[in-house]
C-alpha cells in the first residue's frame, strides 16, 4: 500500500481530531524550564557516569588533568560528567524526575508522541577508533581481545561527525538526542520504518518512533501495528538482503 502523509494517516486510522505538529513535552507549559537542550544535557550527564562505572580515582584524576585552556566546551563537559561527584549525579537525577513529570503532563493531553530516532538518515558503517565497554571486556577471552576491538564507546569518538543527506554532517554525540530524551524517563518507544529520504540524493532509509506515557508499551506497539497494516509503513529489505 502506498504510504500516506503521516498526519493524514493518523486521522484516517484513529479518528484523531487533535494531531498537533510541533508539540513537545519539554516546554514550560508542562512545567519544564530549559527546553530540549537542557533535557539532552541531563541525559548525557547521567549516561557518562553509567558508562564509566569501573573508572578508578586515579583514572578519573588523570582524565581531569587532560583539560587545558584549549579544551572545547563539549569535551570539558564530557570529562566533568564522567568524573562527577555523587552529589552532582543526584542533582541530575532530580532533574530527571522533573522530566518525568513533564512527560506525564504532556501525555495527559496527547496519546502518543511521534518523533525521529536519529538526527541523520542511515550512514555507512564505521568502526574506526572503536573501544570496548567495561561490561563487554569482562565477557571476552584474551584471544578475542587480541584479535578484535569493535565496540564503539560513546565517549571515545573525539570530534567524529556522522555523514548525513547531501553532505550534511552531525556531531556523533548528537545522534542520540531523540533516543536519549525519550528513554531517560522510562517512557516506552516503538520504532517504525517511515520510508526513504525522498528529497535526498542518497535515498537512505528513515525511521521514526512512537513514544507513549510510562507503562503504556501496548499503546505504542498497537499504534505502530496499525500504521504498518493500514498505512503502509512496513519494512522493505534493501536489494541484496
Amino acid at each position: 500500500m502506498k504510504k500516506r502523509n503521516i498526519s493524514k494517516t493518523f486521522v484516517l486510522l484513529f479518528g484523531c481530531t487533535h494531531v498537533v505538529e510541533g508539540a513537545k513535552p519539554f516546554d514550560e507549559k508542562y512545567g519544564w524550564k530549559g527546553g530540549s537542550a537542557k533535557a539532552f544535557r541531563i541525559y548525557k550527564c547521567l549516561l557518562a557516569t553509567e558508562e564509566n562505572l569501573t573508572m578508578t580515582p586515579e583514572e578519573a584524576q588523570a582524565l581531569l588533568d587532560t583539560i587545558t585552556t584549549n579544551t572545547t566546551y563539549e569535551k570539558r563537559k564530557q570529562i566533568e560528567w564522567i568524573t562527577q561527584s555523587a552529589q552532582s549525579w543526584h542533582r541530575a537525577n532530580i532533574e530527571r524526575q522533573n522530566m518525568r513529570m513533564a512527560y506525564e503532563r504532556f501525555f495527559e493531553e496527547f496519546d502518543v508522541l511521534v518523533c525521529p530516532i536519529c538526527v541523520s538518515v542511515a550512514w555507512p558503517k564505521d568502526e574506526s577508533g572503536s573501544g570496548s565497554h567495561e561490561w563487554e571486556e569482562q565477557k571476552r577471552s584474551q584471544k578475542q581481545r587480541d584479535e578484535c576491538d569493535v565496540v564503539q564507546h560513546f565517549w571515545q569518538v573525539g570530534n567524529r561527525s556522522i555523514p548525513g543527506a547531501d553532505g550534511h554532517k552531525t556531531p556523533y554525540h548528537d545522534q542520540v538526542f531523540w533516543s536519549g530524551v525519550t528513554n531517560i524517563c522510562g517512557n516506552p518507544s516503538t520504532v517504525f520504518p517511515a520510508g526513504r529520504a525522498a528529497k535526498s540524493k542518497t535515498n537512505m532509509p528513515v525511521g521514526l518512533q512512537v513514544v507513549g506515557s510510562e507503562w503504556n508499551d501496548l499503546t505504542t506497539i498497537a499504534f505502530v501495528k496499525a500504521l504498518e497494516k493500514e498505512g503502509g509503513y512496513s519494512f522493505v529489505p534493501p536489494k541484496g538482503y
Side-chain angles (χ1 to χ4, degrees):
M1 180 182 293
K2 184 178 180 180
K3 290 184 287 292
R4 306 184 181 101
N5 173 278
I6 290 181
S7 293
K8 292 181 179 178
T9 301
F10 293 165
V11 174
L12 291 171
L13 292 182
F14 312 107
C16 297
T17 57
H18 199 44
V19 177
V20 178
E21 296 185 9
K24 50 189 177 181
F26 301 121
D27 193 289
E28 290 191 20
K29 176 181 178 180
Y30 305 110
W32 177 260
K33 295 182 179 180
S36 56
K38 179 182 177 182
F40 191 36
R41 287 197 301 271
I42 296 301
Y43 168 75
K44 291 190 289 185
C45 176
L46 295 171
L47 177 67
T49 298
E50 185 67 27
E51 286 208 329
N52 293 276
L53 293 175
T54 61
M55 179 173 283
T56 66
E58 292 76 19
E59 289 172 333
Q61 186 57 54
L63 186 58
L64 284 169
D65 291 341
T66 64
I67 296 177
T68 68
T69 55
N70 295 324
T71 304
T72 64
Y73 172 80
E74 184 66 21
K75 185 64 176 179
R76 180 186 295 269
K77 293 305 297 183
Q78 290 176 14
I79 294 173
E80 291 175 352
W81 291 330
I82 290 172
T83 60
Q84 67 185 306
S85 65
Q87 292 89 341
S88 174
W89 185 92
H90 278 290
R91 284 194 294 270
N93 193 45
I94 289 172
E95 292 288 5
R96 173 174 27 198
Q97 304 313 314
N98 293 334
M99 291 168 65
R100 288 182 65 188
M101 294 303 298
Y103 264 122
E104 289 307 303
R105 296 186 186 102
F106 177 85
F107 285 116
E108 287 176 358
E109 182 176 351
F110 299 99
D111 295 305
V112 294
L113 168 68
V114 181
C115 58
I117 306 165
C118 291
V119 298
S120 296
V121 296
W123 58 85
K125 182 179 180 181
D126 179 5
E127 293 177 347
S128 61
S130 60
S132 298
H133 287 100
E134 58 276 2
W135 54 85
E136 287 291 335
E137 193 67 26
Q138 296 169 5
K139 299 177 184 177
R140 297 164 68 198
S141 66
Q142 187 59 53
K143 184 174 184 295
Q144 288 175 316
R145 296 176 191 178
D146 292 340
E147 293 180 352
C148 187
D149 197 22
V150 297
V151 180
Q152 186 76 59
H153 198 296
F154 185 76
W155 301 106
Q156 294 179 346
V157 294
N159 296 320
R160 180 182 175 189
S161 294
I162 297 296
D166 303 332
H168 178 73
K169 291 186 176 182
T170 305
Y172 180 86
H173 294 116
D174 288 354
Q175 288 295 331
V176 297
F177 170 80
W178 290 106
S179 59
V181 298
T182 52
N183 72 31
I184 186 176
C185 299
N187 294 82
S189 169
T190 304
V191 173
F192 69 95
R196 294 178 176 271
K199 295 182 179 180
S200 167
K201 297 177 182 177
T202 60
N203 195 35
M204 296 299 286
V206 175
L208 295 175
Q209 60 179 329
V210 175
V211 184
S213 59
E214 201 169 352
W215 309 115
N216 279 302
D217 305 58
L218 295 181
T219 298
T220 62
I221 293 172
F223 196 98
V224 169
K225 279 186 175 180
L227 285 177
E228 179 180 22
K229 182 179 180 180
E230 304 295 341
Y233 291 91
S234 58
F235 174 69
V236 179
K239 293 182 179 180
Y241 291 86

